[in-house]
Amino acid sequence: MTKVLAIDGPSGAGKGTVAREVARALNWTYVDTGAMYRAVAWKARHEAIQINDEDRVAAVADAAVFELDFDRVVINGYDVTRLIRTPDMDVAAATVARMPSVRRLLVARQRDYAAAGPVVMEGRDIGTVVFPDATVKLYLDATPEERASRRAKDPTHGFSRAGEIGVVASALAIRDRLDRTRQASPLTRADDAILIETTGVPARDVVARVLGIVRERLGDETPTDGRR
């Protein structure tokens, strides 16, 4: 099986930053699965489809052509990198992610990415559903306060003032509840996933720890054997 580093965890735990930097260091493909659900939600909205119409949203997912890299998210030729990182799209993506038919379609796409070479894949069900036999499984987490603080300071998610932490905390709590209670692939830590607590830990230190875990697991294998 292709080497897969599965990184799961809730919003604001640092998955994206860590996964991107680890993928760069290993020279592996990086896939943000959450961006795929966000892009489908955006495209459905763009086509004036009701976001809770599962059949029509699934049709959007089935027809979607994704271009994903470290810095861009493109669906059917539309660069939606910034458009999908808003509080409104947080809610829309959570709705789409609860749809079993959409998840089946996108999980198949995610597995296709790994078939092409080693991959660092981040999301909420990578180690439990997408790749239950992943080479390395990690679960990143942080306190609700830490996650809200990080998100509030991140302008790419539609917030720009630390004073909005209360608003962000409420939004994250809603998203956490939706992710953990959905019937299709709920957010949960795989039994064999390594828990990494990121509260108060600089991203570079988390990246270093993850790289150490991966290299230890691979042993004598060269970790920088990606196709990039």
Side-chain angles (χ1 to χ4, degrees), residues 101-154:
S101 57
V102 174
R103 295 203 75 88
R104 284 194 295 271
L105 288 164
L106 295 190
V107 165
R109 300 286 190 95
Q110 291 153 17
R111 289 171 176 160
D112 287 343
Y113 282 115
V119 62
V120 176
M121 191 169 292
E122 56 134 320
R124 289 167 172 77
D125 65 340
I126 311 307
T128 54
V129 175
V130 184
F131 290 106
D133 297 320
T135 312
V136 180
K137 298 182 189 179
L138 305 176
Y139 189 92
L140 271 58
D141 206 351
T143 64
E145 296 79 11
E146 176 89 359
R147 295 193 290 118
S149 177
R150 290 173 181 167
R151 186 55 57 89
K153 295 173 183 175
D154 184 355

Side-chain angles (χ1 to χ4, degrees), residues 11-217:
S11 298
K15 299 189 307 294
T17 299
V18 171
R20 281 192 297 272
E21 292 309 309
V22 168
R24 285 191 174 103
L26 296 175
N27 200 29
W28 290 10
T29 296
Y30 162 66
V31 177
D32 175 357
T33 62
M36 297 173 72
Y37 291 98
R38 288 172 177 271
V40 168
W42 179 89
K43 191 67 167 60
R45 285 273 182 86
H46 184 72
E47 295 181 5
I49 294 171
Q50 291 294 322
I51 205 65
N52 59 355
D53 186 335
E54 183 168 351
D55 289 341
R56 296 188 69 191
V57 174
V60 170
D62 192 34
V65 177
F66 296 101
E67 298 173 50
L68 307 173
D69 60 28
F70 290 94
D71 303 307
R72 294 175 69 243
V73 180
V74 177
I75 181 170
N76 293 22
Y78 292 92
D79 187 332
V80 295
T81 307
R82 288 194 168 276
L83 299 175
I84 61 175
R85 305 292 183 184
T86 68
D88 180 57
M89 292 310 303
D90 284 350
V91 176
T95 301
V96 168
R98 295 174 71 89
M99 299 174 175
S101 57
V102 174
R103 295 203 75 88
R104 284 194 295 271
L105 288 164
L106 295 190
V107 165
R109 300 286 190 95
Q110 291 153 17
R111 289 171 176 160
D112 287 343
Y113 282 115
V119 62
V120 176
M121 191 169 292
E122 56 134 320
R124 289 167 172 77
D125 65 340
I126 311 307
T128 54
V129 175
V130 184
F131 290 106
D133 297 320
T135 312
V136 180
K137 298 182 189 179
L138 305 176
Y139 189 92
L140 271 58
D141 206 351
T143 64
E145 296 79 11
E146 176 89 359
R147 295 193 290 118
S149 177
R150 290 173 181 167
R151 186 55 57 89
K153 295 173 183 175
D154 184 355
T156 65
H157 282 271
F159 299 101
S160 59
R161 301 187 305 277
E164 296 185 69
I165 290 177
V167 175
V168 180
S170 296
L172 288 183
I174 293 171
R175 181 66 193 268
D176 287 348
R177 185 173 66 253
L178 290 173
D179 287 341
R180 291 192 167 106
T181 61
R182 68 189 183 211
Q183 293 186 342
S185 305
L187 168 64
T188 185
R189 176 187 168 193
D191 292 338
D192 54 347
I194 299 170
L195 174 63
I196 297 181
E197 173 62 52
T198 66
T199 303
V201 183
R204 64 179 179 277
D205 292 347
V206 180
V207 170
R209 183 179 176 192
V210 171
L211 287 171
I213 291 170
V214 173
R215 286 165 176 154
E216 180 179 5
R217 185 66 56 88

